């Protein structure tokens, strides 16, 4: 092979040696750029996922505050509806399976009495209840609530560890969201005190907020993590196996012991911190082992852990696509332009322009616009939720811009002007996105980010120079 190469004409040897050198150099450059882009894409993906998790938690907190206000308003309306407060009656009254002190509203005994409760439900759709404190327990004096078997809960105590029990015994109001039989309710508890200020009971109002939760679910369904990921929420219990999905497209209500897969491991990790990132290996539907990434954030109002994630390669696929674009561009430069430069001296200057701009705006331009959207947020240590979308939407305009500049410089200079205008618009849109996401002050204050900002502006100037070069205003 070496002898055959040595016997070839000098021009062919030079062409082959140049092609080989370019392939090696450009391949190494592509691998380096790809490695950096992959690493940056994963880092930004983690930051963007964390941003989405915090957004979901904030959304849950906002919904909680809204339904809590609704529950408080309904409670005040119930007080006005009654027009008077319950008072202690005489003696004990059989209430369910226990004897409880008599309580009356006007001349009407409330123990086990559903009349007022049903009338208010018919009027508003909300369920109410009267509670009484005895032996440091909170009993249901009158309620419409049924157990799983359909039996009345009258005379049954509320769990001692329940937050409503603790706050009522402390003489404080309590409101929160509870889930019963797949439906969500906002409950509000108001303590009743005697003339000495001692807590003797409470009343409660429970309103169905399933419509609010349906709207929340619909909003969350529109959020995407990568291509296949989705958001969900878990209620982490002390016994991890009792943890269950409070929000999920398919598994809502199921516990970690019921759901196969990595859920038990995820719940265990989520229980350790208020927020974080979990990476792990798992088999996809085809049986191939791939890496997954999950981010989570605890909602302080609900006590739920909201999470979302997907396969990590769904986040760096843009960087992978850029590798092939660079490789193709390099092969075009190495295999077509260089041989033509050496064999077609009459077309040397147009081909030289073609070669020049394929390198400066093709190789460098694709590399820059393929990495800057993920490198700058990484340098700042802040997420840019729009980075992946920007990369996906600007690929073809970038290709068109480079093609017009390259062809215009070699053949017809007005094409370069059109290409430069497109490329300047792309650079401008990226700068505008950074301004909207981070602000100029943050970008200018960070040294690394400012350098990347300057490089982006430089790319725009390079596009302008390409147009001027194609029109013959600059030499070289």
């Amino acid at each position: 092979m070496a002898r055959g190469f040595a016997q070839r004409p000098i021009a062919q040897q030079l062409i082959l040696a140049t092609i080989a050198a370019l392939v090696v150099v450009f391949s190494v450059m592509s691998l380096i750029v790809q490695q950096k882009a992959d690493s940056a894409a994963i880092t930004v993906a983690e930051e963007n996922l964390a941003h989405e998790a915090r957004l979901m938690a904030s959304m849950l907190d906002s919904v909680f505050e809204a339904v809590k206000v609704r529950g408080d308003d309904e409670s005040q309306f119930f007080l006005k509806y009654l027009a008077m407060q319950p008072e202690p009656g005489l003696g004990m009254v059989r209430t369910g399976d226990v004897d409880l002190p008599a309580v009356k509203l006007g001349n009407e005994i409330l123990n086990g009495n559903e009349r007022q409760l049903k009338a208010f439900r018919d009027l508003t759709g909300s369920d109410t209840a009267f509670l009484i404190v005895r032996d440091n327990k909170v009993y249901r004096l009158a309620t419409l609530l049924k157990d799983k078997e359909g039996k009345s809960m009258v005379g049954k105590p509320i769990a001692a560890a329940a937050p409503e029990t603790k706050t009522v015994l402390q003489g404080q109001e309590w409101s929160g969201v509870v889930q019963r039989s797949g439906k969500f309710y906002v409950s509000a508890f108001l303590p009743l005190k005697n003339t000495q200020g001692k807590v003797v009971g409470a009343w409660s109002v429970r309103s169905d907020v399933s419509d609010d939760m349906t709207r929340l679910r619909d909003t969350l369904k529109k959020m995407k993590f990568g291509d296949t990921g989705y958001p969900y929420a878990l209620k982490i219990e002390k016994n991890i196996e009792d943890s269950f999905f409070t929000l999920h497209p398919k598994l809502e209500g199921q516990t970690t012991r019921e759901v196969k897969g990595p859920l038990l491991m995820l719940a265990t990790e989520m229980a350790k911190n208020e927020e974080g990132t979990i990476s792990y290996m798992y088999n996809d539907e085809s049986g191939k082992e791939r890496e997954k990434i999950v981010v989570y954030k605890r909602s302080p109002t609900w006590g739920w852990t909201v999470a979302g994630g997907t396969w990590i390669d769904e986040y760096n696929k843009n960087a992978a696509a850029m590798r092939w674009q660079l490789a193709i561009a390099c092969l075009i430069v190495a295999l077509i332009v260089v041989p033509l430069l050496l064999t077609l001296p009459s077309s040397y200057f147009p081909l030289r322009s073609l070669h020049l701009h394929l390198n400066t705006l093709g190789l460098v331009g694709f590399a820059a616009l393929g990495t800057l959207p993920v490198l700058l947020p990484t340098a700042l240590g802040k997420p840019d939720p729009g980075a992946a979308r920007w990369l996906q939407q600007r690929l073809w305009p970038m290709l068109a811009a480079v093609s017009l500049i390259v062809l215009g410089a070699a053949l017809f200079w007005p094409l370069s002007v059109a290409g430069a205008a497109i490329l300047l618009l792309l650079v401008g849109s990226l700068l505008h996105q950074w301004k909207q996401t981070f602000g100029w002050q943050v970008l200018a204050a960070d040294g690394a980010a400012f350098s990347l900002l300057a490089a982006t502006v430089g790319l725009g100037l390079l596009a302008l120079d390409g147009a001027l070069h194609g029109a013959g205003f600059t030499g070289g």
Side-chain angles (χ1 to χ4, degrees):
M1 182 180 294
R3 180 178 298 178
F5 178 79
Q7 292 176 351
R8 289 177 178 273
I10 296 298
Q12 291 186 14
Q13 292 181 27
L14 183 58
I15 291 173
L16 292 174
T18 302
I19 291 174
L22 285 171
V23 169
V24 171
V25 171
F26 289 150
S27 296
V28 171
M29 290 176 62
S30 298
L31 289 173
I32 292 173
V33 171
Q34 178 61 32
Q35 185 179 21
K36 296 293 184 183
D38 281 347
S39 176
I42 292 171
T43 299
V44 173
E46 292 179 357
E47 294 171 348
N48 289 345
L49 281 169
H51 174 77
E52 294 294 330
R54 288 191 288 270
L55 179 64
M56 287 192 297
S58 298
M59 192 185 304
L60 276 175
D61 292 341
S62 298
V63 172
F64 182 90
E65 292 301 324
V67 297
K68 181 176 178 292
V69 169
R70 176 179 166 185
D72 293 340
D73 290 344
E74 199 81 349
S75 298
Q76 295 302 319
F77 180 64
F78 182 53
L79 298 183
K80 292 179 180 179
Y81 172 81
L82 294 177
M84 63 183 73
Q85 287 201 11
E87 298 176 342
L90 298 176
M92 306 290 287
V93 176
R94 192 67 176 175
T95 310
D97 297 329
V98 295
D99 291 328
L100 295 174
V103 178
K104 63 179 183 177
L105 186 69
N107 296 322
E108 188 175 10
I109 297 296
L110 291 179
N111 298 56
N113 190 336
E114 297 181 346
R115 189 186 69 81
Q116 293 280 7
L117 310 184
K118 287 183 176 180
F120 189 77
R121 183 170 64 180
D122 291 341
L123 177 66
T124 65
S126 298
D127 287 336
T128 52
F130 293 103
L131 312 171
I132 191 169
V133 175
R134 186 187 181 200
D135 299 330
N136 210 35
K137 293 181 180 180
V138 179
Y139 288 88
R140 294 178 176 89
L141 188 76
T143 181
L144 300 175
L145 188 65
K146 311 289 184 182
D147 62 16
K148 293 181 179 180
E149 298 176 354
K151 297 180 181 179
S152 174
M153 296 291 286
V154 169
K156 304 293 184 183
I158 299 176
E164 51 265 50
T165 299
K166 295 179 180 179
T167 50
V168 167
L169 290 176
Q170 294 169 0
Q172 301 175 359
E173 297 182 4
W174 182 89
S175 60
V177 178
V178 295
Q179 190 175 12
R180 297 282 187 272
S181 302
K183 289 189 174 183
F184 289 91
Y185 301 88
V186 57
S187 292
F189 288 73
L190 287 78
L192 288 170
K193 300 179 181 180
N194 59 19
T195 55
Q196 289 77 39
K198 181 181 177 181
V199 178
V200 294
W203 48 44
S204 71
V205 179
R206 189 183 73 170
S207 304
D208 189 344
V209 292
S210 295
D211 290 343
D212 301 83
M213 298 306 297
T214 298
R215 286 191 291 270
L216 176 62
R217 284 193 192 95
D218 292 341
T219 301
L220 292 178
K221 285 179 182 178
K222 296 177 183 178
M223 300 179 68
K224 292 197 67 177
F225 292 80
D227 292 333
T228 60
Y230 49 82
Y232 57 88
L234 277 170
K235 180 68 170 66
I236 306 294
E237 302 289 1
K238 289 184 178 179
N239 181 2
I240 299 298
E241 290 189 347
D242 292 333
S243 303
F244 61 95
F245 283 112
T246 51
L247 291 174
H248 193 279
K250 298 178 181 179
L251 305 175
E252 190 168 304
Q254 295 192 33
T255 65
T256 53
R257 67 164 60 91
E258 295 172 323
V259 179
K260 295 180 180 180
L263 181 58
L264 182 59
M265 177 275 293
L266 292 174
T268 302
E269 292 298 316
M270 292 176 184
K272 296 177 182 178
N273 299 293
E274 293 295 312
E275 61 180 310
T277 303
I278 305 170
S279 298
Y280 62 99
M281 302 302 295
Y282 194 66
N283 292 338
D284 61 17
E285 293 181 353
S286 67
K288 179 183 177 182
E289 188 178 57
R290 297 162 65 191
E291 186 175 6
K292 296 198 78 170
I293 181 173
V294 172
V295 295
Y296 63 92
K297 175 77 169 67
R298 194 104 65 239
S299 168
T301 52
W302 295 77
W304 297 355
T305 300
V306 292
T310 187
W311 307 106
I312 205 166
D313 54 26
E314 292 182 358
Y315 288 101
N316 59 14
K317 66 177 183 180
N318 293 303
M322 184 182 65
R323 175 182 61 196
W324 297 110
Q325 295 159 7
L326 289 175
I328 293 173
C330 292
L331 285 174
I332 291 174
V333 173
L335 299 177
I336 298 178
V337 177
V338 173
L340 293 177
L341 278 170
L342 297 172
T343 57
L344 298 174
S346 61
S347 302
Y348 177 80
F349 288 104
L351 289 175
R352 184 176 178 276
S353 294
L354 191 68
H355 174 80
L356 174 66
H357 292 294
L358 277 172
N359 277 282
T360 56
L361 290 173
L363 177 61
V364 176
F366 272 122
L369 285 183
T371 55
L372 284 169
V374 293
L375 283 177
L376 186 136
T378 303
L380 283 175
K382 296 182 178 181
D384 181 4
R389 184 173 60 255
W390 193 95
L391 284 168
Q392 291 173 344
Q393 294 176 349
R394 268 66 175 187
L395 173 61
W396 294 111
M398 175 65 183
L399 180 61
V402 171
S403 299
L404 288 171
I405 293 174
V406 169
L407 293 174
L411 303 174
F412 184 58
W413 70 265
L415 295 178
S416 294
V417 176
I422 295 173
L423 193 55
L424 285 171
L425 287 174
L426 293 176
V427 170
S429 72
L430 183 58
L431 294 174
H432 177 71
Q433 177 167 303
W434 286 342
K435 174 182 176 294
Q436 294 295 105
T437 306
F438 307 114
W440 293 130
Q441 291 183 340
V442 173
L443 293 169
D446 186 277
F450 185 77
S451 298
L452 294 172
L453 188 68
T456 307
V457 174
L459 181 62
L461 295 176
L462 185 63
L464 184 61
D465 181 69
L468 293 174
H469 183 269
F473 291 107
T474 58

